[in-house]
Amino acid sequence: LFPYTTLFRSLNYQFPNTFLKVNQVELDNEYAYVSCTVVGEKINVTTNYIGVDTNTTGHIAVIANPSTGKVVKLGKSACHTHNKFKNIRKKLQKKGATQQLKVIKKKESNIVRNLNHEISRKIVEYAKENNAGIKLEKLDGIRNNKKHRQSFNYSLNSWSFYQLQQMIEYKARIFGVEVVYVHPLYTSQRCSRCGEIGIRNGKKFKCCCGHVDHADANAAFNIAKASPYKHSGNDRSVADRDVTEGSTDTPQLETQLSKRKVA
């Protein structure tokens, strides 16, 4: 058990001690990456859902809970982090500093992954506390859709939302929270109160019915109320698809292999 026992005694890790075994530990100068085998809870199928909008203007994710009317915004620092590293990369590229560029890219990747871990954990915990399932937008192929290319491009290219969805899925499985996907069509343009197409201007949304809301909150409520995709052989979840394709960053279905990072 040494050095795993020593490692766990010295670090403040964020997952429960109910795992079956530790499979692998990778260390760098700042983080420890722990892969372990856990047993997930039985999925709680419900009619109560929260909506999570990841195509946001100022945060990584916005949660809307129709049963309480509450909104939770997560990851406000994401835009600052992205712009900071974007400017650093530009300067290094002009100088031709290839080695430094690699170091900066790795550092940014670690920060993004860490934020996605924290945010996905908070989303799943919120759903669990409210006895709700999670609805997400199915963004596969959205870049090829001309109608939505402009509104989705910045978010999809500026943050690893695929990674965030992947983390939400396998954390949700561990805690028995259902995750379903909805079509992203008009979720940001439709009024969450009357269903008509309104006007979105940056962070503001306004409808002819008189409803005024934060645009991301309005979209999250639409996601929560939208009908889920019907499951089919070709409509696998992010986690299921990655297991089939051999991704090492996703838990295995039988053993629920989860990869987590501790500071």
Side-chain angles (χ1 to χ4, degrees):
L1 293 177
F2 186 86
Y4 294 156
T5 304
T6 303
L7 176 68
F8 284 179
R9 285 176 180 172
S10 61
L11 295 178
N12 180 25
Y13 58 95
Q14 299 177 357
F15 52 87
N17 288 320
T18 54
F19 53 87
L20 300 179
K21 66 176 181 177
V22 175
N23 301 306
Q24 184 178 3
V25 176
E26 297 179 16
L27 302 175
D28 60 23
N29 295 332
E30 190 174 359
Y31 296 104
Y33 302 90
V34 182
S35 173
C36 56
T37 301
V38 299
V39 177
E41 296 181 17
K42 183 180 178 181
I43 299 297
N44 179 31
V45 179
T46 178
T47 57
N48 180 35
Y49 292 94
I50 60 171
V52 180
D53 180 26
T54 56
N55 180 38
T56 63
T57 54
H59 297 77
I60 295 178
V62 174
I63 304 171
N65 188 348
S67 64
T68 62
K70 291 184 177 181
V71 174
V72 180
K73 299 176 182 178
L74 302 170
K76 188 176 181 179
S77 64
C79 186
H80 171 74
T81 299
H82 171 69
N83 290 331
K84 173 186 173 181
F85 280 96
K86 183 180 179 181
N87 292 331
I88 293 175
R89 287 197 306 271
K90 282 184 178 180
K91 292 178 181 178
L92 292 175
Q93 286 170 351
K94 288 181 180 179
K95 293 180 180 179
T98 307
Q99 191 60 37
Q100 287 179 287
L101 192 59
K102 289 180 180 179
V103 173
I104 288 298
K105 284 183 177 180
K106 184 176 181 181
K107 186 175 181 180
E108 182 183 12
S109 177
N110 286 340
I111 292 174
V112 170
R113 180 160 52 176
N114 189 45
L115 278 171
N116 278 344
H117 268 298
E118 292 177 3
I119 289 165
S120 60
R121 175 175 54 82
K122 288 179 181 179
I123 290 170
V124 173
E125 286 178 350
Y126 183 87
K128 184 73 173 178
E129 290 169 2
N130 288 271
N131 194 30
I134 300 171
K135 283 187 180 179
L136 301 168
E137 287 181 309
K138 190 176 180 66
L139 301 178
D140 294 359
I142 197 67
R143 291 177 186 170
N144 296 324
N145 189 324
K146 293 182 180 180
K147 281 188 177 182
H148 302 90
R149 187 177 298 167
Q150 185 176 358
S151 62
F152 278 84
N153 258 355
Y154 177 75
S155 290
L156 284 174
N157 290 321
S158 63
W159 200 261
S160 183
F161 288 112
Y162 176 84
Q163 183 187 73
L164 177 61
Q165 286 187 345
Q166 186 183 49
M167 291 178 177
I168 290 172
E169 279 201 25
Y170 79 70
K171 285 180 174 67
R173 286 189 176 192
I174 292 171
F175 291 100
V177 175
E178 184 184 17
V179 175
V180 297
Y181 285 87
V182 304
H183 200 286
L185 185 65
Y186 301 124
T187 53
S188 61
Q189 290 93 17
R190 183 179 291 113
C191 177
S192 59
R193 180 171 294 177
C194 71
E196 294 295 324
I197 301 299
I199 300 173
R200 176 171 182 165
N201 184 13
K203 296 182 180 181
K204 296 180 180 180
F205 178 86
K206 185 177 181 180
C207 181
C208 58
C209 73
H211 178 56
V212 178
D213 202 350
H214 189 286
D216 298 330
N218 179 71
F221 277 114
N222 281 328
I223 293 168
K225 296 175 181 179
S227 299
Y229 270 106
K230 292 183 179 180
H231 295 286
S232 66
N234 295 323
D235 186 30
R236 294 192 295 264
S237 67
V238 173
D240 286 348
R241 184 169 61 251
D242 281 356
V243 167
T244 303
E245 295 172 356
S247 171
T248 58
D249 195 43
T250 304
Q252 295 179 5
L253 293 178
E254 292 83 8
T255 60
Q256 290 292 332
L257 177 64
S258 67
K259 197 168 187 177
R260 317 224 177 149
K261 181 170 69 173
V262 292

